[in-house]
Amino acid sequence: MIVTESRAGRRLLVHVEEGEELVSTLVDLVHDEGVHDAWLRGLGTLASAQIEPDQRFARCRILTLEGTLSMRDAEANVRLHVTLARPSKDGVVGGVLTRGDSLGVDLVVVCYEDLGAPAVRGTTAWVDEQPIQDPSEATDVAAGSWADVVAVSAAP
């Protein structure tokens, strides 16, 4: 487990207006507001949404929207996880949002001002996104003993 405490932060209240694309608007926000590390939550309505892997939906209400914003090597990183309600047979859908055309989305962005240095927590996103693997495709991991684990843990 890695634990890092943040004591310096700010909150941004953001309204993404009708016609704005959510992901690109957040990329602009990272640059314009100097965001290095942030967590966001939001609610609203999308005229259209695209969720990995290339699922597209027309008008949807955002039931949950959470994600991270970060700046690494002058590149803005936006990772959004959504649950969307659809007024059709699709019902509720969810996943990683790759595009969303706003009809009005309100966000709370919590910026952690003292976590900006990659040395503090590495250069990867807060949660390394690994694809969910089908158990039938899993490969065996090389076995080791507890002595091996202790030796590796004790190494500098």
Side-chain angles (χ1 to χ4, degrees):
M1 175 185 332
I2 298 172
V3 177
T4 303
E5 182 176 350
S6 174
R7 292 181 177 238
R10 61 188 167 130
R11 286 184 176 81
L12 304 174
L13 304 178
V14 179
H15 177 73
V16 182
E17 296 180 302
E18 183 173 346
E20 291 183 287
E21 197 283 311
L22 183 59
V23 176
S24 63
T25 297
L26 291 173
V27 167
D28 292 344
L29 177 82
V30 169
H31 289 290
D32 296 347
E33 295 296 327
V35 174
H36 290 282
D37 290 290
W39 185 271
L40 68 85
R41 291 180 305 218
L43 295 172
T45 305
L46 298 174
S48 64
Q50 183 173 334
I51 298 175
E52 286 181 353
D54 202 28
Q55 300 175 63
R56 297 171 192 266
F57 304 97
R59 192 176 175 98
C60 350
R61 175 145 332 256
I62 298 171
L63 298 178
T64 63
L65 169 65
E66 291 198 57
T68 57
L69 306 176
S70 63
M71 177 70 80
R72 294 291 177 268
D73 300 323
E75 184 178 332
N77 297 294
V78 176
R79 185 77 173 173
L80 302 175
H81 297 265
V82 295
T83 308
L84 303 171
R86 299 258 304 117
S88 69
K89 63 180 180 179
D90 296 330
V92 176
V93 296
V96 176
L97 184 73
T98 56
R99 180 177 176 82
D101 297 309
S102 175
L103 286 175
V105 177
D106 293 311
L107 305 165
V108 175
V109 180
V110 180
C111 303
Y112 299 98
E113 302 294 314
D114 54 353
L115 297 182
V120 173
R121 59 177 195 79
T123 58
T124 60
W126 288 7
V127 177
D128 287 332
E129 295 294 333
Q130 300 296 324
I132 298 174
Q133 188 175 33
D134 183 335
S136 66
E137 298 172 5
T139 58
D140 291 332
V141 176
S145 68
W146 280 111
D148 294 334
V149 173
V150 170
V152 170
S153 297

